[in-house]
Amino acid sequence: MPSKACSVALASAGAYAAAQAFLTPSAPQVSREQQVRHLRQQPAEAATSSSCASAGALALGVAGVAAATAQSKRTVRRQVVRQATATAEKTEKAFAKMPASVKPGVVTGKALVDLLNYAKENEFAIPGVNCVSTSSINACMEAAKKAKGTVMVTLSRGGGQFIAGKAADNTDDAACIAGTVAAALHVRQVAKLYGVPVILHTDHCQKAWLPWFDGLMEANEEYFKLHGEPLFSSHMLDLSEEPLEENIAICKKYLERMAKIDILLEMELGVTGGEEDGVDNTDVDSSRLYTQPEEVWQVYEELSSVPNGNFTVAAAFGNVHGVYAPGNVDLKPVILHNTQKYVKEKLGCESDKPMSFVFHGGSGSSLEDIRYAIEAGVVKMNIDTDTQWAFWDGMNQYQKKNKDYLQAQIGNPEGPEKPNKKYYDPRMSLRAGEEVMADRLVQCMEDLKCIDRL
């Protein structure tokens, strides 16, 4: 009997021969009679070469394995190329309407500027949603996927602290910073899986909260060193309570730092009334609720002088934070139209909308006013109170629907010993909240004309 090594070699030789038969044309067949005659003529050679045959088979087997391995690698490479091509074609098709620089996942730098300009030119606004958990973050991206649009995931200082855990040490804003960064890293990991462009943003940062802002900038700079882009897409500085000159000076100082790593600045002029996430302007003088064109021009002159500096302006035009019934807010979007004309005249440019505005405090605004503001160059509108309510409402409706299964761990209408774990599993109620929030956000995106924009 042949040795084990010889058997392996012969098996390999067979595999090699099969591969060769598949890859190369077959040679002309030799008749059985010719084979027998040849063997009878050289019996001695056949007998004396048996050991050499084993060695030859072994060598042939090694060559066969090498050839098969090379062929396998070529096959894998071809598969990878085909998959990459298919993915690229799918992305190109999905984003046929978007600027070429905009890809699925977190959008930064030039791609972000291109995206905002695309929104302004096509007169739609991107919803900015204040998120306080991975569930609300995921609901935002789910809505964008459903709507075939884009979304801005917004994180606040208080939201960051909540994500880190209210019991975490917050000395020097440590928990606020850590939680905000953790949420941003979550978005970074999963955004591409939704197949939509996502803007990763932080909301109102007043002067007293600058240590939080500084901590986020350090995280951006570290991320930039590793990946060539910042962790976040943009940040907001809300220094509207400070004198105008100080507001602009601090914003310019930070924009100079942000521009080096391709981060866009959102700054606020005037005051958005009402209260939101620790920022309380309920008693502000009503005259400060309306920004003047001259103030916007002053901002433009200073911030546009920063090399590679990109910015948007949250100019107040009567908008108010909080929850209000439609018609109860005296919104004046005409201020934005007049401001665009003023800045255009100052610049002597062809563009009718040289400024990119953002819209805070939209609750209580009519759809007509919202869309008129978008026509004036609003590229982003904050959507907070409606989506927060929707998330709660989804969980509340789940509780009402399954009330009889949520009274104890064991025992329900189906029997006293029936378990209820699948009902009180936190994922069930949280998912109900996500679904309702996502659906409500799709409605908001329709109002903002941010549907079918990819």
Side-chain angles (χ1 to χ4, degrees), residues 28-360:
Q29 292 186 351
V30 180
S31 70
R32 182 176 180 81
E33 291 79 5
Q34 289 175 315
Q35 294 179 35
V36 172
R37 190 181 323 72
H38 177 72
L39 290 173
R40 285 177 177 172
Q41 290 173 350
Q42 297 179 334
E45 291 183 9
T48 58
S49 63
S50 60
S51 59
C52 293
S54 297
L58 181 60
L60 183 61
V62 172
V65 171
T69 301
Q71 176 65 20
S72 176
K73 288 181 178 179
R74 287 193 293 270
T75 301
V76 170
R77 281 197 296 270
R78 285 195 292 268
Q79 291 174 343
V80 170
V81 171
R82 284 196 295 269
Q83 291 171 356
T85 302
T87 300
E89 290 174 350
K90 181 179 179 182
T91 299
E92 183 179 354
K93 183 179 179 181
F95 283 25
K97 301 176 184 178
M98 283 277 179
S101 60
V102 180
K103 307 295 182 184
V106 176
V107 180
T108 64
K110 182 182 183 300
L112 174 59
V113 174
D114 290 345
L115 175 57
L116 296 181
N117 285 336
Y118 171 70
K120 184 163 59 174
E121 291 165 5
N122 291 276
E123 295 188 345
F124 70 91
I126 299 165
V129 185
N130 207 315
C131 299
V132 296
S133 69
T134 55
S135 290
S136 53
I137 288 171
N138 296 346
C140 288
M141 294 186 287
E142 180 177 348
K145 182 177 181 178
K146 287 182 176 181
K148 297 179 182 178
T150 183
V151 70
M152 177 180 284
V153 172
T154 305
L155 302 166
S156 67
R157 177 176 175 271
Q161 184 181 13
F162 184 82
I163 290 170
K166 297 293 284 187
D169 180 11
N170 197 37
T171 303
D172 298 326
D173 276 348
C176 295
I177 295 167
T180 308
V181 170
L185 291 172
H186 169 77
V187 176
R188 279 284 182 179
Q189 286 295 315
V190 304
K192 287 184 180 180
L193 304 179
Y194 288 84
V196 297
V198 176
I199 301 172
L200 186 49
H201 180 69
T202 59
D203 210 0
H204 298 270
C205 177
Q206 56 193 16
K207 188 176 181 180
W209 296 349
L210 287 177
W212 171 63
F213 198 96
D214 290 333
L216 299 182
M217 283 302 301
E218 290 175 6
N220 279 310
E221 288 159 348
E222 287 300 316
Y223 195 90
F224 190 89
K225 290 178 183 177
L226 295 173
H227 304 282
E229 67 173 337
L231 175 60
F232 292 86
S233 309
S234 55
H235 293 297
M236 180 192 183
L237 282 174
D238 180 1
L239 304 172
S240 56
E241 294 182 355
E242 312 306 322
L244 178 61
E245 291 73 17
E246 184 179 1
N247 181 355
I248 297 174
I250 295 175
C251 284
K252 184 177 181 180
K253 174 185 174 183
Y254 275 98
L255 182 57
E256 290 171 344
R257 182 179 178 184
M258 297 165 74
K260 295 175 182 178
I261 53 174
D262 292 332
I263 302 180
L264 181 141
L265 170 68
E266 176 184 322
M267 66 91 64
E268 182 156 346
L269 272 180
V271 174
T272 301
E275 187 274 334
E276 181 184 38
D277 206 358
V279 179
D280 189 351
N281 293 323
T282 52
D283 298 324
V284 71
D285 184 344
S286 60
S287 65
R288 298 183 64 192
L289 299 178
Y290 302 96
T291 301
Q292 300 304 309
E294 295 82 2
E295 296 173 329
V296 177
W297 171 245
Q298 194 172 342
V299 169
Y300 183 91
E301 280 191 301
E302 288 296 319
L303 298 190
S304 62
S305 69
V306 176
N308 195 44
N310 293 298
F311 61 93
T312 58
V313 176
F317 54 103
N319 29 337
V320 181
H321 287 138
V323 183
Y324 305 90
N328 287 350
V329 175
D330 188 16
L331 203 65
K332 297 181 179 179
V334 68
I335 289 175
L336 302 182
H337 285 270
N338 292 338
T339 300
Q340 293 283 23
K341 292 177 182 177
Y342 184 88
V343 175
K344 177 181 178 179
E345 290 175 359
K346 286 288 188 179
L347 292 173
C349 64
E350 294 183 2
S351 174
D352 291 330
K353 292 181 281 190
M355 297 295 303
S356 293
F357 291 119
V358 297
F359 186 168
H360 287 244

